Amino acid sequence: MNRRKPLGQLLKELGYITEEQIQVALEVQKVKGGLFGEILQKLSFVSPKEVAEAVAFQSGRPFIDLSEYPPSKEALRLIDKNTAKQFQVLPFKVKENRLFVAMANPYDINAVDVIKRRTGKDVEIFVADTETLQKTIEIQYFLLEKPIDEEIDSIIERSKNGVVGSDVPRLVELIINQAVIERATDIHISPEDLASHVFFRVDGIMQHYYAFPKELHNPVVSRIKVMANMDIAEQRLPQDGSFSHRFFNELYDLRVSTIPTAYGENVVVRVLSKNLSLFNLRSLGFEEDVLQQLEKEFSKPQGIVLVTGPTGSGKTTTLYAALRKINALKRNILTAEDPIEYKFPFIKQTQVNEKAGYTFARAIRHFLRQDPDVILVGEVRDDETAEMAMRASITGHLVLSTLHTNDAVSAIPRLIDMNIKDYMVASGVSAITAQRLVRKICSFCKEERKEKAEYLLKFGFEEDSIKKYAGVESLEDEITLYSGKGCEHCKQTGYLGRTAIAELLKIDQEIADLIVKGATPLAILERAREKGMRTLKEDGLLKVMKGITTPEEVKRVAG
């Protein structure tokens, strides 16, 4: 194999881009100039992560996602910041005489030689995307010199002596920065009887980070309300607001919600990154067979594909990943979102505005006059939206949307409750997927152990499922399970990052007949399983047996 293929050709062979996208990028390059790889990324045809994965594939080195793997302090101290920046390398792990480093360019022999000489260690190279690598180098070396925790502790210490005023804006800024570093999706500032507490939601789990004196609570809440353009005098009613926060040249959207409680106002801040690495169905964690079925559904000319699950289960991310699989150069795609979380080129995105009367249903009605091929609706939340989505599907359009139900089959009675006739559901909906996010075992402290297969019964897995997915004939047989023992990288939790578990219900002729005949959801589910559908729990069990997650985690998320 030719070791250094042109990037465009390599990305095309790996299925990340199409020939049309290469041609459009070349046209843009003629107009704007610049590097081809950068233009592909600016057009959102590929993400920095996908470029890095292609380089990793080409060089035969493993890829590492630095946003999920914080480096250890021990590794960082082996190479100074200037060397790291000069050679674009980040040391992230030390094991005996081996130093693991992340690089954007694995072919840089000079950089590897310098690191070997300066550290006296054997170097193992991993490939990281340039954007995340540069950001991680800046942030991690900054934290090595000025740990945020220490500065927060000193402000809290000063506040005990009655010194509050000028420190409050800095304290709020530090809490937000720390949340960003910890990959938190939400910041909770909760007043209690004895003190005020700061929790971060990381990988779907609330974790306690700081406690500060009650005297600081109102000034901190007022500061956040000022930033979010909220009324600081109003403390008796719930309020909503938003603002942007810049941290190391990256912009984050923050949505603020306050409610009055017995001890003062409770504040929750949702953290949204604008620079999310682009959405890719494979990297979200879907199993290969589900992935192929989903891609087939997204390439159909018409029908409704619904993604279901509770809040925070990654439904919007899956829809965005679906949009990337649909060729926007050949199909006219329109979206109605609330709000627009990520902007895509060549896709017409609109934001609904209930106050102005621009609802999801109204958006679909107007989209039908815009010669659409694909319509994405943020959520089917009322009868009118359901009816319009169904009408769009039956008149020859592909409709993608989300619905709040616990599993895929429950979406059918939910739609019928929204006054959609059963025969319309049977003919209009082509597939329903349900998903959850489970935490992945930390790869830095992962351990294996042997158990009898019957051990899995106590986590709610059925005997038939265990035999099928654990590959055993008897529950007395031994299986290998994995867990994280806790380390510096995963903050002693044993978990780092998340992945999706999913079930996919295809509405084929047989399932459609059952719907029209008024079959119960249970009867539909049993027939779908006979035809090869995996339930959420079974998909979770598959990931347990692959060593990606733990039985405890699947039980927590899927029951």
Side-chain angles (χ1 to χ4, degrees):
M1 175 184 158
N2 177 5
R3 288 192 64 75
R4 301 291 293 272
K5 281 185 182 170
L7 184 63
Q9 189 188 341
L10 187 63
L11 289 165
K12 184 182 164 189
E13 283 176 16
L14 289 170
Y16 287 142
I17 54 173
T18 62
E19 186 57 43
E20 292 103 337
Q21 289 173 323
I22 291 174
Q23 294 309 319
V24 169
L26 289 169
E27 293 287 325
V28 173
Q29 191 178 31
K30 277 185 208 165
V31 177
K32 297 280 288 181
L35 293 169
F36 186 65
E38 285 180 10
I39 287 169
L40 284 173
Q41 289 175 43
K42 280 183 179 151
L43 288 170
S44 295
F45 289 161
V46 289
S47 67
K49 186 175 169 187
E50 286 164 350
V51 172
E53 283 173 349
V55 172
F57 176 80
Q58 188 183 49
S59 64
R61 304 281 187 183
F63 168 80
I64 183 166
D65 183 352
L66 287 173
S67 63
E68 285 193 354
Y69 295 109
S72 73
K73 291 186 175 64
E74 182 193 0
L76 286 172
R77 289 191 182 103
L78 289 174
I79 299 175
D80 65 278
K81 182 181 180 178
N82 291 338
T83 306
K85 285 180 79 167
Q86 182 186 344
F87 293 103
Q88 290 293 293
V89 295
L90 181 78
F92 63 88
K93 179 181 172 184
V94 189
K95 194 173 183 184
E96 289 143 13
N97 200 40
R98 285 184 300 161
L99 179 63
F100 296 76
V101 299
M103 305 173 69
N105 177 8
Y107 301 106
D108 190 344
I109 300 161
N110 180 31
V112 177
D113 282 346
V114 170
I115 293 160
K116 275 184 180 168
R117 280 203 312 274
R118 294 195 185 172
T119 61
K121 294 192 181 295
D122 295 330
V123 173
E124 291 219 11
I125 300 168
F126 284 68
V127 180
D129 73 85
T130 313
E131 195 179 284
T132 311
L133 179 68
Q134 289 172 345
K135 190 173 79 176
T136 310
I137 289 172
E138 287 290 344
I139 291 173
Q140 293 297 337
Y141 279 103
F142 170 79
L143 292 176
L144 205 57
E145 295 160 21
K146 300 178 186 166
I148 287 180
D149 279 349
E150 287 178 17
E151 197 177 340
I152 288 177
D153 288 344
S154 69
I155 290 176
I156 291 170
E157 202 54 48
R158 282 201 295 276
S159 71
K160 289 180 190 170
N161 306 322
V163 182
V164 174
S166 59
D167 278 337
V168 169
R170 180 66 179 152
L171 177 62
V172 170
E173 184 186 359
L174 289 169
I175 288 171
I176 297 170
N177 289 349
Q178 186 69 14
V180 167
I181 290 161
E182 299 290 348
R183 301 177 300 108
T185 50
D186 301 87
I187 305 166
H188 293 245
I189 300 173
S190 307
E192 291 295 332
D193 189 17
L194 303 174
S196 198
H197 299 270
V198 177
F199 293 85
F200 293 159
R201 188 177 290 279
V202 180
D203 289 338
I205 302 284
M206 291 265 285
Q207 296 180 24
H208 185 275
Y209 271 76
Y210 309 105
F212 54 80
K214 285 202 72 173
E215 295 73 33
L216 265 179
H217 184 77
N218 283 344
V220 164
V221 172
S222 294
R223 171 64 187 163
I224 292 170
K225 286 166 90 173
V226 166
M227 293 162 80
N229 285 322
M230 293 154 77
D231 181 355
I232 60 169
E234 180 56 78
Q235 297 184 354
R236 298 159 305 168
L237 292 172
Q239 290 189 64
D240 293 309
S242 63
F243 63 98
S244 291
H245 176 78
R246 190 172 286 282
F247 182 56
F248 280 102
N249 291 327
E250 189 162 346
L251 206 57
Y252 295 84
D253 274 345
L254 302 180
R255 303 224 186 97
V256 184
S257 167
T258 65
I259 58 165
T261 71
Y263 296 112
E265 285 182 284
N266 191 74
V267 181
V268 177
V269 183
R270 164 64 52 100
V271 183
L272 297 167
S273 166
K274 284 190 175 173
N275 266 4
L276 281 173
S277 190
L278 270 171
F279 309 93
N280 177 320
L281 281 170
R282 182 167 270 104
S283 62
L284 292 180
F286 291 104
E287 294 294 328
E288 194 60 42
D289 55 342
V290 173
L291 198 63
Q292 286 173 5
Q293 287 173 12
L294 274 176
E295 289 182 0
K296 204 182 282 179
E297 296 300 334
F298 296 142
S299 62
K300 285 182 177 173
Q302 64 197 55
I304 295 179
V305 180
L306 288 172
V307 183
T308 73
T311 305
S313 59
K315 300 189 295 294
T316 307
T317 309
T318 298
L319 284 185
Y320 278 168
L323 285 185
R324 285 199 63 220
K325 285 310 288 183
I326 297 166
N327 188 345
L329 298 173
K330 288 196 164 176
R331 297 170 86 181
N332 184 20
I333 305 173
L334 294 118
T335 78
E337 303 172 52
D338 183 20
I340 295 171
E341 287 183 23
Y342 195 93
K343 295 186 179 72
F344 291 94
F346 303 105
I347 291 173
K348 294 84 183 171
Q349 293 172 270
T350 72
Q351 184 156 324
V352 296
N353 185 335
E354 301 273 346
K355 284 181 189 159
Y358 184 51
T359 59
F360 282 129
R362 190 167 180 182
I364 303 171
R365 191 172 288 119
H366 287 282
F367 286 175
L368 292 174
R369 298 176 200 147
Q370 286 270 322
D371 182 31
D373 295 298
V374 182
I375 293 172
L376 182 146
V377 185
E379 188 187 337
V380 176
R381 56 168 82 139
D382 55 50
D383 297 14
E384 195 187 359
T385 309
E387 187 193 335
M388 287 305 302
M390 205 55 75
R391 194 177 297 172
S393 153
I394 287 167
T395 53
H397 305 92
L398 178 65
V399 180
L400 311 178
S401 192
T402 68
L403 195 63
H404 282 281
T405 61
N406 285 333
D407 55 20
V409 174
S410 304
I412 295 164
R414 178 93 177 85
L415 287 170
I416 293 168
D417 282 349
M418 289 176 160
N419 294 318
I420 305 294
K421 300 275 189 294
D422 49 19
Y423 65 86
M424 294 273 280
V425 174
S427 60
V429 180
S430 55
I432 305 163
T433 171
Q435 65 181 62
R436 300 286 188 280
L437 294 174
V438 292
R439 291 180 294 167
K440 294 190 289 188
I441 299 168
C442 170
S443 64
F444 290 103
C445 59
K446 187 174 181 177
E447 295 180 319
E448 64 172 65
R449 69 180 195 278
K450 300 288 184 200
E451 295 279 359
K452 282 188 175 172
E454 65 181 4
Y455 171 78
L456 293 169
L457 288 172
K458 65 179 182 183
F459 298 100
F461 297 112
E462 295 169 6
E463 185 172 338
D464 291 349
S465 301
I466 295 170
K467 285 179 177 173
K468 182 175 180 181
Y469 295 104
V472 294
E473 289 181 8
S474 155
L475 291 184
E476 288 296 307
D477 291 352
E478 233 181 33
I479 54 170
T480 305
L481 294 178
Y482 301 84
S483 57
K485 69 172 188 284
C487 66
E488 179 188 1
H489 298 275
C490 63
K491 298 277 185 292
Q492 308 305 324
T493 61
Y495 296 99
L496 195 53
R498 288 194 288 178
T499 190
I501 58 171
E503 60 184 26
L504 179 65
L505 175 68
K506 286 193 298 181
I507 313 289
D508 58 15
Q509 194 54 55
E510 199 175 337
I511 301 292
D513 287 346
L514 286 174
I515 294 170
V516 174
K517 285 174 185 163
T520 64
L522 188 62
I524 294 170
L525 176 64
E526 281 175 358
R527 186 67 197 108
R529 286 182 72 183
E530 284 166 20
K531 294 172 73 111
M533 170 184 161
R534 256 196 322 276
T535 64
L536 273 172
K537 285 214 76 162
E538 287 172 336
D539 202 48
L541 180 55
L542 200 56
K543 286 193 163 55
V544 167
M545 298 318 300
K546 286 182 173 182
I548 295 168
T549 189
T550 63
E552 292 85 349
E553 185 63 5
V554 176
K555 186 177 190 329
R556 178 184 75 82
V557 168

